[in-house]
Structure formats: structure tokens, C-alpha cells
Amino acid sequence: MKLIFVTGNPGKFLEAKELLGKYGIRLEQADIEVTEPQSDDLEEVAVKCAEEALKKAGERFIIEDSGLFVNSLNGFPGVYSSYVHRKIGCEGILRLLAGSADRSAYFMAALAYGEPGSGVRLFTGRVDGNVATEPRGKSGFGYDPLFIPFGSHSTFAEMSIEEKNKFSHRAKALKAFASWFLKKYERK
Ligand code: ITT
């Protein structure tokens, strides 16, 4: 079963490909141009992007918006995670957190499935953890060197894709999607 992942982020794609492969779903990447709307609601961004992608994609697809929410920074960088990472990187987040006793944070993923003729459906996933005191590890992308999920001593960047998928926000949203999708497909 083939499915398109509309994303320009190869890290997101590899994680999703590994996980959905276990469900027998063969994922292909498509970098369809989608303008992200101005909103600080992750779910709204994902749904609006999916609605736009629906106009351009000729087949069923998934699209995902995600971000790191640092509790002592009132959820910053949140929906602006990609932009903030490009501008100040992991080091910038560490500077903002210098001296903070509370280093708790979470990643959220809002994953929208779009199917021509059927509209859009949303799935979400969240993982809580702490921001490390220094970047650790070389794998993954974005804030992976900073994030230590509860239940582990390693950062996401110190984990293999398979290990990260045991914890991550993206994997949780993808698992919810995959079980719904397979049931829907089996009914047909
Ligand atoms: P697409 O929109 O093309 O899918 P993107 O990277 O721009 O790719 P987002 O707009 O959803 O995606 O931004 C999410 C950002 O949040 C991402 O670029 C990272 O900086 C961060 N992020 C999200 N999930 C992450 C993860 O699993 N590990 C590390 N950083 C993550």
C-alpha cells in the first residue's frame, strides 16, 4: 500500500517510513509547495496545510506539523520551532534556559491525512521529557540533541530511528493514523 508524505524534512520522512513500513504501508516523499498559515495552533496549521495540499495532490497523503514546547518558556518555540532552529539553533535554546531549574518540555506532532474526495483527518502525538544541559548525539534532526524523553537517559540524537520511534510524538501520531488507516482500508 503506497502513501505520500508531503514534507521537505528528510528526518521526518525517514522516521515515518521506518514506522509505517511495519504496517505494510510504503511511504514516498513529495515536496509539494504548501504555505504554512500564521497561527500558534499546531493542529490548525496541520489541517490548513492539508487542505491546501489536497488541492494539489492527486492521491492520498499525510502531512505533519510539529514542534518543541519548553514549559518554562511558555511553550516557545512551539509552532515556530523550524524558524527558531534555523535562527538560533539548539545553542540558542540552551542560552534561553540558562539558570532555569525547570527544564521540562514536550514535542507535539499534528499529523493530517488527506484523501481526494474525502477531506482531511487529524491525528496527534505528544512526548514529555527534559532539555539536556548540553547537546548530545549526532543522529536525527532539529532539537534531537537536546531532548531526553521521560523513561530514557539518552537524547533523541543518541538513539537509532527505531529507538526514537518507541518514544516520539511523531511515532505516536503515526501509530494512531496507521491503525485507523488499515481498518478503513480493510473495510473497502
Ligand atoms: P515540513 O514542514 O516540510 O514537514 P519542517 O521541518 O519545516 O518540515 P515543521 O514546520 O513541522 O517541519 O517544523 C518542525 C520543527 O520542529 C522541525 O524543523 C524541528 O526543528 C522541530 N522538530 C519537530 N519534530 C522534531 C523531532 O522529532 N526532533 C527534533 N526536532 C523536531
Side-chain angles (χ1 to χ4, degrees):
M1 225 185 302
K2 187 187 125 188
L3 183 66
I4 300 288
F5 189 2
V6 178
T7 180
N9 182 325
K12 281 186 181 182
F13 175 72
L14 288 176
E15 290 173 19
K17 187 177 163 66
E18 195 274 339
L19 193 141
L20 292 182
K22 295 196 166 138
Y23 290 83
I25 301 169
R26 188 167 48 81
L27 204 61
E28 288 182 10
Q29 186 173 4
D31 200 357
I32 297 172
E33 191 67 39
V34 178
T35 318
E36 278 194 17
Q38 281 292 325
S39 162
D40 52 15
D41 183 327
L42 207 64
E43 298 184 12
E44 189 185 336
V45 173
V47 169
K48 291 255 167 69
C49 286
E51 286 168 351
E52 199 192 322
L54 209 46
K55 294 180 195 147
K56 300 177 180 171
E59 53 190 312
R60 56 195 178 196
F61 65 88
I62 53 170
I63 191 163
E64 181 239 77
D65 205 54
S66 47
L68 176 70
F69 296 74
V70 179
N71 290 318
S72 66
L73 303 177
N74 294 325
F76 183 84
V79 286
Y80 308 106
S81 290
S82 177
Y83 175 78
V84 170
H85 191 268
R86 278 200 307 278
K87 292 290 176 188
I88 63 172
C90 289
E91 295 295 342
I93 297 294
L94 288 175
R95 277 197 299 277
L96 291 173
L97 275 181
S100 173
D102 177 10
R103 303 187 71 85
S104 67
Y106 60 94
F107 271 119
M108 272 286 296
L111 176 100
Y113 167 72
E115 187 175 314
S118 294
V120 166
R121 195 175 174 109
L122 187 71
F123 302 85
T124 57
R126 169 175 170 155
V127 57
D128 283 78
N130 280 310
V131 176
T133 48
E134 57 182 11
R136 286 189 347 230
K138 294 262 180 278
S139 309
F141 66 98
Y143 302 100
D144 278 344
L146 291 188
F147 190 77
I148 306 167
F150 290 151
S152 176
H153 295 292
S154 305
T155 66
F156 274 165
E158 293 175 311
M159 298 181 183
S160 63
I161 287 182
E162 208 166 6
E163 208 177 344
K164 181 179 170 186
N165 277 346
K166 289 185 190 145
F167 294 94
S168 88
H169 50 311
R170 179 162 305 102
K172 286 177 182 162
L174 283 163
K175 282 177 194 163
F177 159 71
S179 40
W180 170 83
F181 182 67
L182 291 185
K183 271 197 210 113
K184 173 185 155 81
Y185 191 80
E186 277 162 10
R187 277 205 309 269
K188 283 189 176 165

